[in-house]
Amino acid sequence: MSTVITRFAPSPTGLLHIGSARTALFSWLYARRHEGIFRLRIEDTDRERSTAEATKQILESLEWLGLKHDDEIVYQSERKELYLERAQHLILTGNAYYCNCSRERLERVRAKQMREGIKPKYDRKCRNKRIQPSLDSNVVIRFKNPLDSDVTVDDMVQGRVVYANSELDDLIIVRSDQSPTYNFSVVVDEIDMGITHVIRGDDHLNNTPRQINLFHAFGYQLPIFGHIPLILSPQGKKLSKRDNVEGVLELRNAGYLPEAVINYLARLGWSHKDQEIFRVDELIRHFDARNIGRSPSSLNPKKMEWTNQQHLLKLPPKKAAELAEGFFLSRGIQCEFPSLEDVFEVQKTRCKTLLDFVEKSKYFYEEVNEYESKAANKFLTLEIVKPLQDLRNELEEVECWKKKNIHLIFTKILNRYGIKFGVLAQPVRVAQTGGTVSPGIDVTMELIGRQSVLKRLEAAVAWIESRKWKVKKRPVGRFSYFLIGTSPH
Ligand code: GLU
């Protein structure tokens, strides 16, 4: 059996869109599954819309995803000679011809066809004229598309699709400025690169009969085609900028793991039994193009987050720490103490992305300068001052700063004041983290470290005492306090 050679052929006119990333992934998986070769071709013939920056971002995105290509990258912009030479070959073999019809004439023909209700097409005026180009003439090269019979696409994903040649135009293959057109350069490249399987978005399905005719004209065996459905927005529409998850690099910046993005993209439109979470090597093992669905799939941000979380949970803490550190540092937060690995271990079940982890873990590394106002109003009250002070003093004396011992002190204070766990835990949490969500309060304090814990308890007490309280005598004889300007609850 011959070697499978697939390719990914992006046009560098923008970010690597999540839909294109999935196309790349399926091509890559197919090659890896069959121990074949995955090649990369940058389709940058459109000099106006292609940018070096977009090429750079595409390469960076593929690298981040781990979709490594084999062989040298092919840049179409460097192959003009080859395309011209192949176009000459088609002219010599009677499969292409020069056309010098003026734009005005083409427009007249088109307008007439429209008036007559005929599908606009070149009327093939120059097809048999054997025009020779002269230096000053504005000629293009057109392909002699067969006039009758059908073109059949036997697609790995879409099944059999048949097109009538009578519907197809004599398409321009080289423009008057000598640049090749998409359908032509693609076929020349597939042949030159030895591509055996063309896996791409189904927005290209309509180009395929034209390309198949070109393959035949070159006398080249057809590759196998697989046109995969588009990815739609969560609302089932074409993906747009507003969907916010467009670029692969944006996912990286939002703290997604590449293996999770790969997993999620693979599952969009492809399935293997009812398995949801795959390692990359499992995807390679199970990938079968016949299991790609034909209908478009919609992005589901919640599921993408969930998939990411499943991979985060499996990530070795050391690796997670390494990855998260970059996010902390880029926010100007040093994370020498406590160890990021330890913080990750206690936080990971509540984090969807690395960024989420960082946002939820800042208080381990930064002073708490502000309290969430609702939490502070509810929990940092005058009644809790004494228990907080006692807790602070007893914690100062703990010999071994471990969660178990912290817990013992905590219980001691609860018993001393006859209060329930939450009555003390929530104010302490607000003091230590600024809010009401954290891992167990004992382990949180262990990780924050004694010195900071004591300082934060003192700061909370000072904060409470600095507020203006009004004392209200309750009928039963106990006092209660409420803030001036707020109503007692
Ligand atoms: N360059 C085309 C695109 O980015 C893909 C062409 C192909 O895969 O044949 O849409």
Side-chain angles (χ1 to χ4, degrees):
M1 229 181 78
S2 61
T3 310
V4 164
I5 307 180
T6 67
R7 68 5 168 229
F8 176 52
S11 304
T13 53
L15 297 172
L16 186 73
H17 182 285
I18 196 160
S20 310
R22 191 186 55 155
T23 305
L25 171 64
F26 283 2
S27 254
W28 181 85
L29 280 174
Y30 196 84
R32 293 290 169 264
R33 167 84 178 87
H34 297 279
E35 292 173 16
I37 293 171
F38 171 67
R39 303 199 65 182
L40 180 59
R41 176 168 80 229
I42 302 291
E43 302 207 322
D44 54 354
T45 44
D46 183 342
R47 300 313 289 160
E48 286 189 357
R49 293 178 59 228
S50 306
T51 65
E53 179 55 28
T55 300
K56 189 170 148 254
Q57 292 215 12
I58 290 171
L59 299 182
E60 206 177 321
S61 306
L62 292 174
E63 193 183 331
W64 179 69
L65 288 170
L67 303 181
K68 234 172 107 43
H69 61 86
D70 302 302
D71 303 333
E72 293 283 297
I73 302 177
V74 169
Y75 289 90
Q76 285 192 328
S77 58
E78 293 169 2
R79 294 157 74 83
K80 203 166 159 187
E81 302 294 304
L82 174 70
Y83 303 128
L84 291 179
E85 190 249 298
R86 299 316 290 155
Q88 284 305 324
H89 172 83
L90 289 187
I91 291 179
L92 288 176
T93 55
N95 287 297
Y97 59 94
Y98 288 107
C99 162
N100 61 5
C101 288
S102 66
R103 183 176 300 230
E104 292 72 32
R105 177 176 184 275
L106 295 176
E107 269 161 23
R108 273 198 314 275
V109 171
R110 187 185 158 83
K112 182 163 176 280
Q113 288 168 334
M114 300 274 274
R115 272 198 311 276
E116 290 167 0
I118 306 171
K119 189 173 161 198
K121 230 174 353 163
Y122 176 56
D123 64 356
R124 301 190 163 113
K125 179 166 180 263
C126 300
R127 184 164 164 130
N128 297 312
K129 285 214 284 188
R130 297 180 178 277
I131 293 168
Q132 289 306 314
S134 59
L135 276 179
D136 56 346
S137 64
N138 221 359
V139 291
V140 298
I141 303 178
R142 287 187 183 269
F143 176 57
K144 269 192 192 169
N145 198 78
L147 298 176
D148 38 39
S149 73
D150 292 336
V151 194
T152 303
V153 186
D154 274 317
D155 195 273
M156 282 201 288
V157 180
Q158 308 287 336
R160 174 165 286 195
V161 191
V162 181
Y163 294 83
N165 268 323
S166 57
E167 292 288 308
L168 304 177
D169 218 342
D170 275 4
L171 64 99
I172 295 176
I173 57 174
V174 177
R175 300 185 189 92
S176 57
D177 65 0
Q178 309 225 307
S179 63
T181 56
Y182 161 72
N183 281 304
F184 178 62
S185 52
V186 161
V187 173
V188 170
D189 287 335
E190 313 299 24
I191 293 173
D192 185 65
M193 294 164 73
I195 303 302
T196 61
H197 291 73
V198 172
I199 296 174
R200 62 183 165 202
D202 68 3
D203 47 338
H204 286 291
L205 184 61
N206 281 337
N207 287 318
T208 307
R210 299 174 173 87
Q211 295 178 12
I212 287 181
N213 285 334
L214 280 163
F215 275 108
H216 288 321
F218 279 118
Y220 191 81
Q221 196 191 342
L222 291 182
I224 293 170
F225 291 95
H227 287 89
I228 56 181
L230 294 179
I231 298 183
L232 303 177
S233 76
Q235 292 72 33
K237 304 245 165 60
K238 208 165 171 254
L239 269 186
S240 81
K241 282 258 178 283
R242 261 166 294 126
D243 295 304
N244 221 357
V245 280
E246 252 208 325
V248 166
L249 295 182
E250 282 164 19
L251 293 176
R252 177 187 68 182
N253 298 343
Y256 281 85
L257 299 173
E259 58 272 31
V261 175
I262 291 278
N263 184 160
Y264 177 71
L265 289 179
R267 279 287 296 109
L268 261 185
W270 171 86
S271 58
H272 173 69
K273 303 189 183 146
D274 51 8
Q275 189 171 341
E276 285 292 352
I277 299 302
F278 294 85
R279 291 188 317 267
V280 175
D281 62 304
E282 290 178 298
L283 287 175
I284 294 174
R285 188 145 31 91
H286 298 309
F287 190 74
D288 182 343
R290 280 172 307 193
N291 292 348
I292 299 176
R294 273 191 215 179
S295 44
S297 330
S298 292
L299 270 187
N300 178 345
K302 285 267 161 289
K303 184 161 176 201
M304 184 150 71
E305 275 183 0
W306 176 82
T307 307
N308 197 59
Q309 184 171 33
Q310 302 312 305
H311 283 269
L312 268 184
L313 289 171
K314 289 189 178 163
L315 204 60
K318 189 158 179 288
K319 177 89 186 140
E322 269 167 34
L323 293 172
E325 187 168 17
F327 282 89
F328 277 107
L329 291 178
S330 68
R331 281 160 183 73
I333 304 172
Q334 299 291 333
C335 24
E336 274 148 33
F337 177 85
S339 119
L340 257 178
E341 285 182 42
D342 294 344
V343 175
F344 182 74
E345 275 298 277
V346 297
Q347 288 279 57
K348 64 182 178 187
T349 54
R350 52 178 69 75
C351 300
K352 305 233 164 11
T353 63
L354 286 169
L355 193 56
D356 192 22
F357 166 60
V358 171
E359 291 300 331
K360 287 179 174 151
S361 307
K362 281 185 183 163
Y363 58 80
F364 286 102
Y365 302 99
E366 283 189 321
E367 290 304 319
V368 174
N369 293 321
E370 230 180 326
Y371 305 121
E372 280 171 22
S373 66
K374 214 171 134 208
N377 283 335
K378 183 160 177 204
F379 297 113
L380 296 185
T381 60
L382 268 184
E383 285 99 336
I384 207 69
V385 163
K386 286 224 45 76
L388 288 180
Q389 282 170 330
D390 283 12
L391 181 70
R392 183 223 164 275
N393 295 338
E394 303 253 357
L395 287 176
E396 191 174 20
E397 301 304 322
V398 169
E399 245 170 53
C400 177
W401 188 255
K402 282 278 166 230
K403 114 181 181 185
K404 195 170 105 243
N405 299 335
I406 295 170
H407 188 81
L408 287 177
I409 301 290
F410 213 85
T411 317
K412 196 165 148 193
I413 308 288
L414 295 181
N415 292 338
R416 183 177 302 162
Y417 287 90
I419 50 181
K420 293 219 183 79
F421 182 77
V423 175
L424 183 59
Q426 284 305 67
V428 172
R429 208 169 246 127
V430 177
Q432 298 302 326
T433 71
T436 51
V437 185
S438 82
I441 192 64
D442 45 6
V443 73
T444 302
M445 289 200 280
E446 177 187 324
L447 289 171
I448 289 174
R450 183 183 337 234
Q451 220 187 352
S452 294
V453 164
L454 300 186
K455 253 175 61 189
R456 290 179 193 188
L457 286 172
E458 287 158 24
V461 167
W463 186 86
I464 297 172
E465 289 180 335
S466 71
R467 307 188 89 191
K468 293 198 168 57
W469 298 91
K470 205 167 162 182
V471 186
K472 185 176 182 203
K473 201 159 186 274
R474 281 186 176 162
V476 281
R478 289 186 59 191
F479 292 102
S480 83
Y481 310 89
F482 61 95
L483 278 173
I484 290 175
T486 66
S487 54
H489 36 260

mmCIF file of all heavy atoms in Angstrom, residues 260-286:
data_model
loop_
_atom_site.group_PDB
_atom_site.id
_atom_site.type_symbol
_atom_site.label_atom_id
_atom_site.label_comp_id
_atom_site.label_asym_id
_atom_site.label_seq_id
_atom_site.Cartn_x
_atom_site.Cartn_y
_atom_site.Cartn_z
ATOM 1 N N ALA A 260 -6.673 19.642 25.231
ATOM 2 C CA ALA A 260 -8.122 19.721 25.437
ATOM 3 C C ALA A 260 -8.804 20.305 24.200
ATOM 4 O O ALA A 260 -9.880 19.855 23.804
ATOM 5 C CB ALA A 260 -8.425 20.592 26.655
ATOM 6 N N VAL A 261 -8.156 21.297 23.581
ATOM 7 C CA VAL A 261 -8.730 21.883 22.363
ATOM 8 C C VAL A 261 -8.777 20.814 21.273
ATOM 9 O O VAL A 261 -9.778 20.655 20.566
ATOM 10 C CB VAL A 261 -7.912 23.120 21.914
ATOM 11 C CG1 VAL A 261 -8.429 23.663 20.590
ATOM 12 C CG2 VAL A 261 -7.970 24.205 22.991
ATOM 13 N N ILE A 262 -7.707 20.044 21.175
ATOM 14 C CA ILE A 262 -7.655 18.953 20.184
ATOM 15 C C ILE A 262 -8.803 17.970 20.459
ATOM 16 O O ILE A 262 -9.530 17.568 19.547
ATOM 17 C CB ILE A 262 -6.298 18.203 20.302
ATOM 18 C CG1 ILE A 262 -5.159 19.097 19.842
ATOM 19 C CG2 ILE A 262 -6.309 16.870 19.595
ATOM 20 C CD1 ILE A 262 -4.961 19.150 18.368
ATOM 21 N N ASN A 263 -8.949 17.593 21.699
ATOM 22 C CA ASN A 263 -10.008 16.654 22.084
ATOM 23 C C ASN A 263 -11.378 17.215 21.703
ATOM 24 O O ASN A 263 -12.198 16.559 21.058
ATOM 25 C CB ASN A 263 -9.920 16.428 23.593
ATOM 26 C CG ASN A 263 -10.904 15.400 24.134
ATOM 27 O OD1 ASN A 263 -10.709 14.870 25.224
ATOM 28 N ND2 ASN A 263 -11.964 15.079 23.407
ATOM 29 N N TYR A 264 -11.586 18.490 22.071
ATOM 30 C CA TYR A 264 -12.894 19.092 21.805
ATOM 31 C C TYR A 264 -13.150 19.180 20.295
ATOM 32 O O TYR A 264 -14.235 18.821 19.817
ATOM 33 C CB TYR A 264 -12.977 20.476 22.450
ATOM 34 C CG TYR A 264 -14.275 21.147 22.135
ATOM 35 C CD1 TYR A 264 -15.461 20.690 22.709
ATOM 36 C CD2 TYR A 264 -14.352 22.178 21.201
ATOM 37 C CE1 TYR A 264 -16.683 21.252 22.364
ATOM 38 C CE2 TYR A 264 -15.558 22.746 20.852
ATOM 39 C CZ TYR A 264 -16.716 22.275 21.442
ATOM 40 O OH TYR A 264 -17.924 22.823 21.089
ATOM 41 N N LEU A 265 -12.136 19.633 19.553
ATOM 42 C CA LEU A 265 -12.328 19.779 18.100
ATOM 43 C C LEU A 265 -12.551 18.427 17.430
ATOM 44 O O LEU A 265 -13.342 18.304 16.502
ATOM 45 C CB LEU A 265 -11.112 20.470 17.469
ATOM 46 C CG LEU A 265 -10.958 21.954 17.779
ATOM 47 C CD1 LEU A 265 -9.710 22.508 17.110
ATOM 48 C CD2 LEU A 265 -12.184 22.724 17.317
ATOM 49 N N ALA A 266 -11.855 17.425 17.918
ATOM 50 C CA ALA A 266 -12.031 16.097 17.327
ATOM 51 C C ALA A 266 -13.456 15.611 17.541
ATOM 52 O O ALA A 266 -14.078 15.040 16.645
ATOM 53 C CB ALA A 266 -11.039 15.118 17.947
ATOM 54 N N ARG A 267 -13.976 15.884 18.719
ATOM 55 C CA ARG A 267 -15.331 15.408 19.022
ATOM 56 C C ARG A 267 -16.424 16.217 18.315
ATOM 57 O O ARG A 267 -17.559 15.785 18.255
ATOM 58 C CB ARG A 267 -15.558 15.454 20.543
ATOM 59 C CG ARG A 267 -14.982 14.292 21.292
ATOM 60 C CD ARG A 267 -15.791 13.003 21.064
ATOM 61 N NE ARG A 267 -17.138 13.137 21.587
ATOM 62 C CZ ARG A 267 -18.245 13.228 20.848
ATOM 63 N NH1 ARG A 267 -18.176 13.171 19.535
ATOM 64 N NH2 ARG A 267 -19.416 13.361 21.418
ATOM 65 N N LEU A 268 -16.050 17.381 17.786
ATOM 66 C CA LEU A 268 -17.030 18.169 17.028
ATOM 67 C C LEU A 268 -17.186 17.526 15.663
ATOM 68 O O LEU A 268 -16.408 17.766 14.756
ATOM 69 C CB LEU A 268 -16.480 19.574 16.814
ATOM 70 C CG LEU A 268 -16.932 20.703 17.700
ATOM 71 C CD1 LEU A 268 -16.349 22.008 17.199
ATOM 72 C CD2 LEU A 268 -18.435 20.803 17.788
ATOM 73 N N GLY A 269 -18.167 16.697 15.539
ATOM 74 C CA GLY A 269 -18.394 16.095 14.230
ATOM 75 C C GLY A 269 -17.724 14.753 14.027
ATOM 76 O O GLY A 269 -17.782 14.186 12.948
ATOM 77 N N TRP A 270 -17.060 14.254 15.039
ATOM 78 C CA TRP A 270 -16.475 12.908 14.924
ATOM 79 C C TRP A 270 -16.727 12.194 16.247
ATOM 80 O O TRP A 270 -16.742 12.829 17.306
ATOM 81 C CB TRP A 270 -14.966 12.987 14.661
ATOM 82 C CG TRP A 270 -14.267 11.651 14.741
ATOM 83 C CD1 TRP A 270 -14.132 10.737 13.734
ATOM 84 C CD2 TRP A 270 -13.613 11.084 15.894
ATOM 85 N NE1 TRP A 270 -13.441 9.640 14.178
ATOM 86 C CE2 TRP A 270 -13.120 9.824 15.502
ATOM 87 C CE3 TRP A 270 -13.419 11.503 17.211
ATOM 88 C CZ2 TRP A 270 -12.427 8.988 16.379
ATOM 89 C CZ3 TRP A 270 -12.737 10.679 18.084
ATOM 90 C CH2 TRP A 270 -12.241 9.433 17.670
ATOM 91 N N SER A 271 -16.970 10.910 16.182
ATOM 92 C CA SER A 271 -17.196 10.209 17.445
ATOM 93 C C SER A 271 -16.589 8.816 17.409
ATOM 94 O O SER A 271 -16.360 8.235 16.341
ATOM 95 C CB SER A 271 -18.692 10.113 17.728
ATOM 96 O OG SER A 271 -19.318 9.449 16.650
ATOM 97 N N HIS A 272 -16.337 8.314 18.590
ATOM 98 C CA HIS A 272 -15.885 6.940 18.734
ATOM 99 C C HIS A 272 -16.646 6.364 19.914
ATOM 100 O O HIS A 272 -16.395 6.741 21.062
ATOM 101 C CB HIS A 272 -14.380 6.900 18.980
ATOM 102 C CG HIS A 272 -13.877 5.527 19.313
ATOM 103 N ND1 HIS A 272 -13.847 4.511 18.377
ATOM 104 C CD2 HIS A 272 -13.427 5.006 20.463
ATOM 105 C CE1 HIS A 272 -13.388 3.417 18.961
ATOM 106 N NE2 HIS A 272 -13.122 3.690 20.230
ATOM 107 N N LYS A 273 -17.597 5.521 19.612
ATOM 108 C CA LYS A 273 -18.512 5.004 20.642
ATOM 109 C C LYS A 273 -19.040 6.204 21.436
ATOM 110 O O LYS A 273 -19.346 7.223 20.842
ATOM 111 C CB LYS A 273 -17.818 3.971 21.504
ATOM 112 C CG LYS A 273 -17.262 2.835 20.646
ATOM 113 C CD LYS A 273 -16.765 1.705 21.484
ATOM 114 C CE LYS A 273 -16.166 0.634 20.603
ATOM 115 N NZ LYS A 273 -15.051 -0.036 21.213
ATOM 116 N N ASP A 274 -19.117 6.058 22.793
ATOM 117 C CA ASP A 274 -19.600 7.250 23.489
ATOM 118 C C ASP A 274 -18.505 7.890 24.338
ATOM 119 O O ASP A 274 -18.765 8.602 25.293
ATOM 120 C CB ASP A 274 -20.852 6.940 24.321
ATOM 121 C CG ASP A 274 -20.631 5.745 25.221
ATOM 122 O OD1 ASP A 274 -19.462 5.287 25.285
ATOM 123 O OD2 ASP A 274 -21.586 5.277 25.857
ATOM 124 N N GLN A 275 -17.273 7.660 23.916
ATOM 125 C CA GLN A 275 -16.148 8.246 24.653
ATOM 126 C C GLN A 275 -16.079 9.765 24.407
ATOM 127 O O GLN A 275 -16.299 10.223 23.286
ATOM 128 C CB GLN A 275 -14.850 7.568 24.186
ATOM 129 C CG GLN A 275 -13.644 7.942 25.015
ATOM 130 C CD GLN A 275 -12.422 7.078 24.644
ATOM 131 O OE1 GLN A 275 -12.556 6.014 24.044
ATOM 132 N NE2 GLN A 275 -11.243 7.556 25.007
ATOM 133 N N GLU A 276 -15.826 10.509 25.466
ATOM 134 C CA GLU A 276 -15.727 11.971 25.333
ATOM 135 C C GLU A 276 -14.297 12.478 25.478
ATOM 136 O O GLU A 276 -13.875 13.383 24.792
ATOM 137 C CB GLU A 276 -16.589 12.674 26.401
ATOM 138 C CG GLU A 276 -18.071 12.646 26.153
ATOM 139 C CD GLU A 276 -18.491 13.491 24.944
ATOM 140 O OE1 GLU A 276 -17.671 14.215 24.378
ATOM 141 O OE2 GLU A 276 -19.667 13.375 24.562
ATOM 142 N N ILE A 277 -13.584 11.888 26.450
ATOM 143 C CA ILE A 277 -12.246 12.406 26.734
ATOM 144 C C ILE A 277 -11.202 11.477 26.106
ATOM 145 O O ILE A 277 -11.196 10.273 26.359
ATOM 146 C CB ILE A 277 -12.031 12.539 28.255
ATOM 147 C CG1 ILE A 277 -13.058 13.526 28.835
ATOM 148 C CG2 ILE A 277 -10.619 13.014 28.598
ATOM 149 C CD1 ILE A 277 -13.026 14.917 28.218
ATOM 150 N N PHE A 278 -10.375 12.085 25.271
ATOM 151 C CA PHE A 278 -9.351 11.319 24.562
ATOM 152 C C PHE A 278 -7.986 11.970 24.764
ATOM 153 O O PHE A 278 -7.870 13.200 24.702
ATOM 154 C CB PHE A 278 -9.605 11.346 23.052
ATOM 155 C CG PHE A 278 -10.853 10.653 22.602
ATOM 156 C CD1 PHE A 278 -12.075 11.315 22.612
ATOM 157 C CD2 PHE A 278 -10.804 9.343 22.143
ATOM 158 C CE1 PHE A 278 -13.226 10.687 22.173
ATOM 159 C CE2 PHE A 278 -11.954 8.707 21.695
ATOM 160 C CZ PHE A 278 -13.167 9.373 21.714
ATOM 161 N N ARG A 279 -6.990 11.139 24.945
ATOM 162 C CA ARG A 279 -5.626 11.641 24.806
ATOM 163 C C ARG A 279 -5.338 11.659 23.310
ATOM 164 O O ARG A 279 -6.017 10.979 22.528
ATOM 165 C CB ARG A 279 -4.627 10.708 25.500
ATOM 166 C CG ARG A 279 -4.702 10.679 27.014
ATOM 167 C CD ARG A 279 -3.507 9.864 27.543
ATOM 168 N NE ARG A 279 -3.307 8.654 26.759
ATOM 169 C CZ ARG A 279 -3.826 7.466 27.053
ATOM 170 N NH1 ARG A 279 -4.548 7.301 28.137
ATOM 171 N NH2 ARG A 279 -3.609 6.429 26.274
ATOM 172 N N VAL A 280 -4.295 12.409 22.927
ATOM 173 C CA VAL A 280 -4.015 12.520 21.495
ATOM 174 C C VAL A 280 -3.680 11.143 20.897
ATOM 175 O O VAL A 280 -4.142 10.803 19.804
ATOM 176 C CB VAL A 280 -2.881 13.543 21.250
ATOM 177 C CG1 VAL A 280 -2.490 13.569 19.787
ATOM 178 C CG2 VAL A 280 -3.329 14.930 21.689
ATOM 179 N N ASP A 281 -2.934 10.333 21.638
ATOM 180 C CA ASP A 281 -2.578 9.022 21.069
ATOM 181 C C ASP A 281 -3.820 8.138 20.893
ATOM 182 O O ASP A 281 -3.894 7.332 19.978
ATOM 183 C CB ASP A 281 -1.513 8.320 21.928
ATOM 184 C CG ASP A 281 -2.018 8.042 23.331
ATOM 185 O OD1 ASP A 281 -2.434 8.995 24.004
ATOM 186 O OD2 ASP A 281 -2.029 6.871 23.749
ATOM 187 N N GLU A 282 -4.822 8.353 21.745
ATOM 188 C CA GLU A 282 -6.072 7.577 21.574
ATOM 189 C C GLU A 282 -6.815 8.047 20.323
ATOM 190 O O GLU A 282 -7.390 7.242 19.594
ATOM 191 C CB GLU A 282 -6.989 7.773 22.785
ATOM 192 C CG GLU A 282 -6.494 7.117 24.043
ATOM 193 C CD GLU A 282 -7.431 7.409 25.212
ATOM 194 O OE1 GLU A 282 -7.575 8.604 25.563
ATOM 195 O OE2 GLU A 282 -8.000 6.473 25.760
ATOM 196 N N LEU A 283 -6.786 9.369 20.115
ATOM 197 C CA LEU A 283 -7.451 9.885 18.909
ATOM 198 C C LEU A 283 -6.812 9.280 17.669
ATOM 199 O O LEU A 283 -7.490 8.855 16.740
ATOM 200 C CB LEU A 283 -7.334 11.413 18.842
ATOM 201 C CG LEU A 283 -8.182 12.205 19.817
ATOM 202 C CD1 LEU A 283 -7.863 13.695 19.715
ATOM 203 C CD2 LEU A 283 -9.661 11.980 19.545
ATOM 204 N N ILE A 284 -5.482 9.249 17.685
ATOM 205 C CA ILE A 284 -4.779 8.709 16.511
ATOM 206 C C ILE A 284 -5.190 7.254 16.311
ATOM 207 O O ILE A 284 -5.489 6.818 15.203
ATOM 208 C CB ILE A 284 -3.249 8.830 16.688
ATOM 209 C CG1 ILE A 284 -2.854 10.308 16.701
ATOM 210 C CG2 ILE A 284 -2.503 8.072 15.592
ATOM 211 C CD1 ILE A 284 -1.394 10.575 17.014
ATOM 212 N N ARG A 285 -5.244 6.526 17.406
ATOM 213 C CA ARG A 285 -5.551 5.099 17.303
ATOM 214 C C ARG A 285 -6.964 4.868 16.756
ATOM 215 O O ARG A 285 -7.197 3.978 15.957
ATOM 216 C CB ARG A 285 -5.395 4.457 18.689
ATOM 217 C CG ARG A 285 -5.481 2.969 18.715
ATOM 218 C CD ARG A 285 -4.553 2.366 19.763
ATOM 219 N NE ARG A 285 -4.348 3.209 20.929
ATOM 220 C CZ ARG A 285 -5.081 3.178 22.045
ATOM 221 N NH1 ARG A 285 -6.064 2.345 22.154
ATOM 222 N NH2 ARG A 285 -4.793 3.951 23.073
ATOM 223 N N HIS A 286 -7.902 5.710 17.209
ATOM 224 C CA HIS A 286 -9.300 5.443 16.847
ATOM 225 C C HIS A 286 -9.789 6.204 15.629
ATOM 226 O O HIS A 286 -10.906 6.005 15.189
ATOM 227 C CB HIS A 286 -10.218 5.803 18.029
ATOM 228 C CG HIS A 286 -9.955 4.980 19.254
ATOM 229 N ND1 HIS A 286 -9.902 3.607 19.218
ATOM 230 C CD2 HIS A 286 -9.711 5.332 20.536
ATOM 231 C CE1 HIS A 286 -9.649 3.160 20.436
ATOM 232 N NE2 HIS A 286 -9.518 4.184 21.249
#
